[in-house]
Amino acid sequence: MSEGTMQRRAQHQRDVRAGRLNRVLVSAAAVPAILLAAGCSSDSGSGDDAKKASESASASASPSPTVQAAAYRTLPEPCDVLSKKTLGELVPKGAKSGKEGNSDDTSSRSNCSWDSLDNNGVDGSQFRWLNVSLLRFESDVTRGSADELAQEYYAKQVTDARSVKDAKNTKAEPLTGTGDQATAVRYDLKKKEGSFKQQTIVVRVENVVVTLDYNGAGLAGEKTPDADELMKDATKAAKEVVAAVTEANEAEAGKGSTSSKAPSASKAPSQSASKSPSKAATSSRTPAKKS
């Protein structure tokens, strides 16, 4: 073998070894790049998880929704909201005949009714019927504040009073100086016993709605009572009921301040807020039957 041939073979072997070395170096350099890419991918996922965790923590730390607390927390005894003098004027023969309606929570809903029949024999009779309904609302985060709920119910009561079936000569007007909102509704209603003059007064005072119904009729030939006089008496009575509601809550507030030093004496808030107004003891606005 010639010397030139030997040199070329030696050079070829060196080139082969150099090629192998380069491939090893390239492969070795690729490993950190792969690891780096994997590290970046892992860091990115961890960042997203951390962001989600932070957002969740912020959401859980947000304050719960709140509504304004109810101003009034109780109701007076329904059959005691009117003085003996007032009852004597409105239902003279039935001032002591107050009948309290059924209620599962008298601090939130109650009513009382009276009826009076002044029987004059062949000369006829004068009939009167009076009903007072009280409904108190509590604030509820899902339904709204006590005042808002009371306003909604107040509006519904006025609408109902103006929409009585078979009513004639219906009139409605706002009343001033009676609670926070007040409306008087009057109408005539013909029944088999006679012609009745109906007066309905709806009042909202804070978170309490008062509905007072008062009607009268002349029976068996007796003259029909004057609607203006009936409305005058009903308005006076409604103001008296509102005053009784206010006084009852002032007395309740006084008890609360007296016992404020004793934590165990504090009263738990009423649960009546979630209850629907449709379950309240409200007037039927139909006169009581002659006994």
Side-chain angles (χ1 to χ4, degrees), residues 96-108:
K96 297 180 180 180
S97 67
K99 300 178 181 65
E100 184 172 349
N102 295 326
S103 174
D104 58 354
D105 183 2
T106 55
S107 70
S108 296

Side-chain angles (χ1 to χ4, degrees), residues 103-221:
S103 174
D104 58 354
D105 183 2
T106 55
S107 70
S108 296
R109 57 178 55 78
S110 61
N111 82 298
C112 190
S113 61
W114 301 258
D115 59 78
S116 172
L117 182 66
D118 187 3
N119 193 336
N120 298 315
V122 296
D123 294 328
S125 304
Q126 284 292 330
F127 175 79
R128 299 290 185 273
W129 180 72
L130 172 66
N131 186 83
V132 175
S133 295
L134 306 168
L135 183 60
R136 184 182 65 84
F137 291 86
E138 277 285 359
S139 295
D140 187 288
V141 293
T142 61
R143 299 176 61 219
S145 71
D147 274 11
E148 291 172 340
L149 296 173
Q151 288 176 31
E152 291 175 4
Y153 185 68
Y154 164 83
K156 180 181 181 299
Q157 287 293 86
V158 172
T159 298
D160 289 349
R162 299 177 64 176
S163 308
V164 173
K165 184 180 179 181
D166 299 327
K168 305 294 183 183
N169 305 316
T170 302
K171 296 179 182 178
E173 58 184 3
L175 288 180
T176 58
T178 307
D180 298 306
Q181 291 176 283
T183 300
V185 182
R186 65 169 69 182
Y187 54 83
D188 300 335
L189 196 61
K190 185 72 173 180
K191 289 188 171 289
K192 63 180 182 179
E193 298 91 347
S195 180
F196 290 83
K197 298 289 184 179
Q198 171 73 34
Q199 327 297 315
T200 298
I201 297 180
V202 185
V203 184
R204 181 185 69 83
V205 53
E206 297 289 358
N207 54 306
V208 175
V209 177
V210 175
T211 304
L212 184 145
D213 289 288
Y214 183 48
N215 64 46
L219 308 179

Side-chain angles (χ1 to χ4, degrees), residues 212-230:
L212 184 145
D213 289 288
Y214 183 48
N215 64 46
L219 308 179
E222 181 65 283
K223 67 178 182 179
T224 301
D226 182 80
D228 290 336
E229 288 298 320
L230 293 179

